Amino acid sequence: MTATTQTLTNISGWGNYPTQDAQVITPLSLSAYQTQLAQHPSIIARGMGRSYGDSANAPIVLQTTYCDHFIAFDKATGLLTVEAGVLLRDILKITVKQGWFLPVTPGTSFVTVGGAIASDVHGKNHHIAGTFGQHVVSITMLLGTGEVVTTSPTELPDLFHATCGGMGLTGVILSATIQLIPIQSAFIAQKTIKADCIEAACEAFETNSSGTYSVAWIDCLATGKHLGRSVLMLGEHAESGRLDLTVKDPITVPIHTPAALLNSMTMRAFNNAYWVKASGDKTQTVPLLPYFYPLDAIGGWNKLYGKAGFLQYQFVLPKVDGVANMRNILTQIAQSGQGSFLAVLKQFGQANQNLLSFPIEGYTLALDFKMSQSTIDLLHRLDDMVAGMGGRVYLTKDAVMLEVSFKTMYSNWEQFEAVRQKYGAIEKFASAQSKRLGLA
Amino acid sequence: MKKILIIGATSAIAEHCARIWAGRGDALYLVARNEERLKTIAADLKVRGAAETDTYWTDLNYMDHHAALLDAAEAAMGGIDTVLIAHGTLSNQNACEECVEETLAEIKTNALSTISLLTLIANRFESKESGTIAVISSVAGDRGRASNYVYGSAKAMITAFTSGMRQRLHKSNVTVITIKPGFIDTPMTAAFKKGLLWAKPTKVADKIVRAIDAKKNEVYVPAFWWAVMVIIKTVPVAVFKKLML
Ligand SMILES: Cc1cc2nc3c(=O)[nH]c(=O)nc-3n(C[C@H](O)[C@H](O)[C@H](O)COP(=O)(O)OP(=O)(O)OC[C@H]3O[C@@H](n4cnc5c(N)ncnc54)[C@H](O)[C@@H]3O)c2cc1C
Ligand SMILES: NC(=O)c1ccc[n+]([C@@H]2O[C@H](COP(=O)([O-])OP(=O)(O)OC[C@H]3O[C@@H](n4cnc5c(N)ncnc54)[C@H](OP(=O)(O)O)[C@@H]3O)[C@@H](O)[C@H]2O)c1
């Protein structure tokens, strides 16, 4: 047996919107991807489906579940080679005890290496370390032509810079080599700072920009003087403490809960409680997993939004006028009354060379919205504002952006299409998202 | 460090057991018929911490290779403490009904090849008076059902065979464990619609490894299948034959 095919399955991203009936094919070995690709006119690669919208949705998906093998790890240099289906969580289980950590990690460990590269994900250390792709030494991938090639910043660099952040549209990532970073301890020294408005929060990021990790929880429901009040969490790898990782399986939310549970009253209560509970200027030592992945403790928390699902919206605004522009957008959101349970504010460092990579230097905000037509309308209004401010929306979170907004925000899109053309990706690799955004 | 022989090492369930053992630093000897996957899994287990991983590439239906593969495993690891037998195919019941060869081929893969291995291993472990033999049977072997009685009867043979072997080897200090999984989400069952009764192979592997540590006799995984099968076995034949299961 080389691959398995499920009967038609209803798939979706983490936001449970939109959904799509798909044939899910799970190749059992890397060579089986070639066989499968030859048999289908168009596919998209899929990892854990932790992208929020429709970037891993298509009528036929090649899911990397069973290609989750470690290929090599050099514990002297921290160079790790894995198949694309390996989860960041599994990497940590093996490397942390040997003193190595991920150079960049998103807010959940339940993502695949293939997904992390395709979305060129960022972490709380973007201002220092850049994106995941900037630590990828090389990628082995399957092209639309059926050829398997190795690409790196020096080998087929155009393909490399289109693939990191390329949302699966250049080919299927089969395996990758990543440079890990050394750590002395499986703990993080965390410092909490309270900032009582957006200006104070951005200033606090600035003051602490030499620190390794920083992120803020922002209360989107606060208005007026307190608009954008935040709790900043700064972190440094501790220098002492054990190197072992305590990994607990998540407790799971078994079923879709009625979305009414998450109404604005409960959200306001939650945000208030969070604000009050956070004590300013306190330093504590916390283990790696709860520090980086607080939400991973609850499996399937996305079901809390009910069957209709939810939309996550993450945008970045350029640093110039960034604070004033952020205030404008926060005011829009606060006025809409459709605030978010989880809003995360972060400062980004410089952009990289990857054609569709999201981060640019400035401030980024991520929020959740319960799925509804009025949310879609609101997001379209926000898209216009963000585009007008020279900012952009994160493709791995997007489910509703219009083609025109995408093409304004990601001005490299034509170059991206040219690289796809050159490597035989046009039409062969397509997702519901790429079709919506007008990519061939 | 344990010396563990895994037969059918490309099985998703077996692979997850192997990952747990690799994490403990055990030595693993892997047998399967897909060479590419066998090599990939061996390299993976090495990174995950296995003391050593050697491989043997064979189709287990070539029963005349069985003695040689056991010799090779013993030579590579310097003996064998534990064996897990996991290979199998989910028979196409309709195809079997149409064709005698198909039926016999399924019985061969799911019963006879395992019986051959068990016979050889039992004698080796009996004479050294130690060892653990774990075999993956199935809840499907507890009672034949119209929808998959070819597979079910092959598994029933494994269950009965290991039950007898357990009695025989008890006095020689050899443990025989019959593992009866329910519905597990693996490549074997990819075509099925999954629901609440389904378990992940990681969970099952965890249970299997613990059953081996604890020298259990017979385990249903997940455990609730024991109750389900008690009920299914209690239904009177006169009623059972009218059910569509
Ligand atoms: C709770 C939570 C927190 C998050 N926090 C962050 C964060 O802090 N920073 C951040 O940047 N992101 C964050 N994300 C987003 C997440 O990191 C990305 O969406 C990531 O790409 C998901 O990986 P996946 O394996 O689930 O990929 P999927 O969702 O399955 O796929 C995402 C994209 O990657 C492509 N892809 C997947 N595998 C391959 C492959 N083998 N070859 C080619 N293309 C492939 C798909 O085609 C698709 O376009 C978060 C998500 C969640 C749910
Ligand atoms: N999944 C379930 O719901 C379930 C339930 C009850 C019992 N079981 C039993 O659990 C065991 C493991 O199955 P699984 O769920 O892990 O499925 P799986 O991943 O499909 O594993 C079955 C393995 O057996 C191998 N195999 C089959 N015939 C072989 C042969 N003649 N020689 C060598 N290898 C052979 C297959 O190799 P190829 O890939 O090369 O064909 C495959 O790797 C099986 O005995 C199965 O009957 C499974």
Side-chain angles (χ1 to χ4, degrees):
Chain A
M1 197 163 37
T2 59
T4 69
T5 307
Q6 294 175 15
T7 45
L8 225 51
T9 311
N10 194 249
I11 61 170
S12 67
W14 190 243
N16 292 319
Y17 174 86
T19 62
Q20 156 148 35
D21 282 333
Q23 198 183 332
V24 179
I25 300 169
T26 45
L28 299 180
S29 64
L30 297 185
S31 65
Y33 285 86
Q34 257 168 317
T35 324
Q36 288 300 325
L37 189 70
Q39 285 171 19
H40 302 286
S42 177
I43 62 107
I44 195 73
R46 185 176 172 93
M48 285 290 280
R50 246 48 174 203
S51 55
Y52 282 77
D54 49 0
S55 63
N57 290 4
I60 300 173
V61 302
L62 294 190
Q63 191 169 293
T64 55
T65 316
Y66 293 123
C67 287
D68 64 341
H69 299 102
F70 287 79
I71 296 172
F73 178 51
D74 183 341
K75 53 185 168 211
T77 62
L79 216 53
L80 172 75
T81 306
V82 293
E83 290 182 350
V86 165
L87 304 190
L88 299 187
R89 194 175 184 83
D90 290 332
I91 293 179
L92 296 178
K93 282 185 194 166
I94 293 192
T95 64
V96 167
K97 56 178 183 260
Q98 310 196 55
W100 295 97
F101 190 67
L102 294 163
V104 165
T105 176
T108 172
S109 60
F110 291 104
V111 305
T112 65
V113 166
I117 295 173
S119 299
D120 202 15
V121 300
H122 58 268
K124 301 175 183 179
N125 57 350
H126 184 271
H127 58 289
I128 301 253
T131 62
F132 194 86
Q134 289 169 249
H135 305 269
V136 172
V137 177
S138 71
I139 296 171
T140 301
M141 61 186 291
L142 173 62
L143 301 179
T145 54
E147 218 182 328
V148 173
V149 297
T150 299
T151 171
S152 73
T154 52
E155 285 165 276
L156 311 178
D158 55 346
L159 180 62
F160 185 83
H161 293 300
T163 299
C164 295
M167 303 310 289
L169 300 172
T170 57
V172 182
I173 299 163
L174 299 178
S175 64
T177 300
I178 308 155
Q179 177 63 58
L180 302 183
I181 55 165
I183 48 170
Q184 266 75 52
S185 151
F187 293 84
I188 293 284
Q190 176 182 284
K191 189 172 158 195
T192 317
I193 298 175
K194 276 169 132 179
D196 68 0
C197 64
I198 184 69
E199 287 76 11
C202 291
E203 199 183 308
F205 273 119
E206 212 55 61
T207 326
N208 291 286
S209 61
S210 61
T212 309
Y213 299 106
S214 60
V215 69
W217 286 59
I218 181 167
D219 176 358
C220 287
L221 302 177
T223 49
K225 206 167 70 177
H226 292 302
L227 186 90
R229 69 174 178 179
S230 309
V231 180
L232 252 78
M233 283 158 288
L234 310 173
E236 296 295 333
H237 285 283
E239 272 153 25
S240 59
R242 294 174 324 257
L243 266 175
D244 47 32
L245 198 69
T246 322
V247 188
K248 287 198 204 107
D249 281 344
I251 43 166
T252 46
V253 178
I255 46 161
H256 290 280
T257 55
L261 279 180
L262 274 185
N263 64 21
S264 69
M265 280 266 287
T266 48
M267 273 193 250
R268 201 172 292 275
F270 176 85
N271 282 0
N272 269 326
Y274 197 85
W275 173 258
V276 173
K277 206 185 123 221
S279 41
D281 284 336
K282 203 177 112 189
T283 305
Q284 54 190 145
T285 309
V286 290
L288 287 176
L289 293 189
Y291 176 79
F292 286 103
Y293 317 111
L295 291 170
D296 283 358
I298 310 163
W301 61 261
N302 55 341
K303 295 194 191 114
L304 291 170
Y305 280 94
K307 267 220 152 73
F310 67 107
L311 296 167
Q312 169 147 124
Y313 192 66
Q314 182 171 4
F315 60 91
V316 57
L317 299 177
K319 199 160 174 183
V320 179
D321 297 331
V323 183
N325 285 335
M326 190 62 85
R327 177 168 273 276
N328 266 336
I329 294 193
L330 282 170
T331 310
Q332 264 291 316
I333 294 169
Q335 276 169 5
S336 78
Q338 300 180 52
S340 158
F341 204 12
L342 305 168
V344 177
L345 178 71
K346 157 110 203 85
Q347 185 180 34
F348 275 160
Q350 275 175 10
N352 60 29
Q353 302 175 47
N354 303 332
L355 296 176
L356 294 191
S357 189
F358 167 63
I360 55 173
E361 191 169 15
Y363 300 102
T364 179
L365 185 74
L367 336 79
D368 294 350
F369 294 92
K370 219 161 60 190
M371 173 57 205
S372 73
Q373 187 53 47
S374 63
T375 295
I376 296 179
D377 297 341
L378 172 67
L379 296 195
H380 284 160
R381 285 202 303 280
L382 296 179
D383 285 345
D384 289 342
M385 289 178 77
V386 169
M389 294 165 179
R392 49 172 61 167
V393 165
Y394 196 2
L395 295 179
T396 210
K397 311 275 175 94
D398 155 62
V400 298
M401 195 179 5
L402 303 175
E403 176 177 347
V404 42
S405 303
F406 163 69
K407 289 183 174 172
T408 315
M409 294 172 188
Y410 288 88
S411 54
N412 287 329
W413 74 270
E414 279 166 306
Q415 224 178 316
F416 180 70
E417 288 292 76
V419 178
R420 289 182 68 219
Q421 177 78 45
K422 177 174 167 192
Y423 292 98
I426 301 285
E427 284 175 9
K428 195 77 201 181
F429 304 105
S431 61
Q433 179 180 53
S434 72
K435 298 220 147 128
R436 174 167 50 78
L437 299 180
L439 295 170
Chain B
M1 183 195 74
K2 278 200 204 161
K3 300 164 183 170
I4 305 173
L5 166 63
I6 305 178
I7 296 174
T10 48
S11 128
I13 295 175
E15 191 178 352
H16 284 287
C17 294
R19 288 180 180 183
I20 299 173
W21 288 320
R24 295 177 176 182
D26 293 333
L28 305 173
Y29 195 88
L30 313 170
V31 183
R33 67 175 168 187
N34 182 315
E35 196 181 17
E36 182 195 4
R37 293 181 57 211
L38 192 55
K39 288 200 166 132
T40 302
I41 292 170
D44 170 77
L45 294 171
K46 196 87 218 228
V47 175
R48 289 176 193 265
E52 52 178 296
T53 56
D54 292 294
T55 60
Y56 194 100
W57 176 40
T58 185
D59 187 313
L60 291 160
N61 282 332
Y62 295 124
M63 294 185 229
D64 48 351
H65 291 187
H66 287 177
L69 89 78
L70 295 177
D71 290 343
E74 279 174 348
M77 296 190 289
I80 303 171
D81 307 322
T82 304
V83 181
L84 172 66
I85 303 182
H87 70 285
T89 49
L90 191 61
S91 319
N92 178 334
Q93 177 65 28
N94 290 336
C96 287
E97 286 167 17
E98 300 291 319
C99 171
V100 176
E101 282 75 28
E102 179 83 19
T103 301
L104 298 182
E106 287 301 323
I107 301 280
K108 187 173 176 183
T109 304
N110 288 305
L112 302 183
S113 65
T114 298
I115 300 301
S116 158
L117 286 159
L118 285 174
T119 305
L120 297 173
I121 296 163
N123 294 342
R124 291 178 190 219
F125 280 14
E126 185 176 44
S127 62
K128 71 176 175 110
E129 297 195 333
S130 72
T132 298
I133 308 169
V135 187
I136 307 188
S137 180
S138 170
V139 294
D142 278 12
R143 192 163 195 182
R145 289 172 298 122
S147 60
N148 74 344
Y149 63 84
V150 173
Y151 175 78
S153 59
K155 290 298 193 185
M157 182 167 186
I158 301 299
T159 300
F161 195 91
T162 48
S163 164
M165 234 177 72
R166 180 179 307 113
Q167 282 191 319
R168 168 188 155 202
L169 296 178
H170 176 64
K171 58 179 182 306
S172 311
N173 189 35
V174 174
T175 306
V176 178
I177 310 175
T178 312
I179 295 149
K180 297 182 179 177
F183 296 155
I184 319 299
D185 183 2
T186 69
M188 182 177 277
T189 52
F192 290 73
K193 253 204 150 34
K194 311 292 181 308
L196 279 177
L197 291 177
W198 288 78
K200 290 279 172 206
T202 41
K203 274 256 147 53
V204 176
D206 194 59
K207 290 263 158 62
I208 292 177
V209 168
R210 277 194 274 154
I212 291 173
D213 289 344
K215 296 184 185 289
K216 289 266 169 63
N217 301 310
E218 194 179 71
V219 282
Y220 285 84
V221 279
F224 70 80
W225 281 98
W226 174 80
V228 174
M229 295 322 293
V230 164
I231 295 166
I232 289 185
K233 284 187 285 191
T234 339
V235 178
V237 186
V239 177
F240 197 74
K241 73 174 181 187
K242 294 180 199 148
L243 300 178
M244 291 301 292
L245 283 172

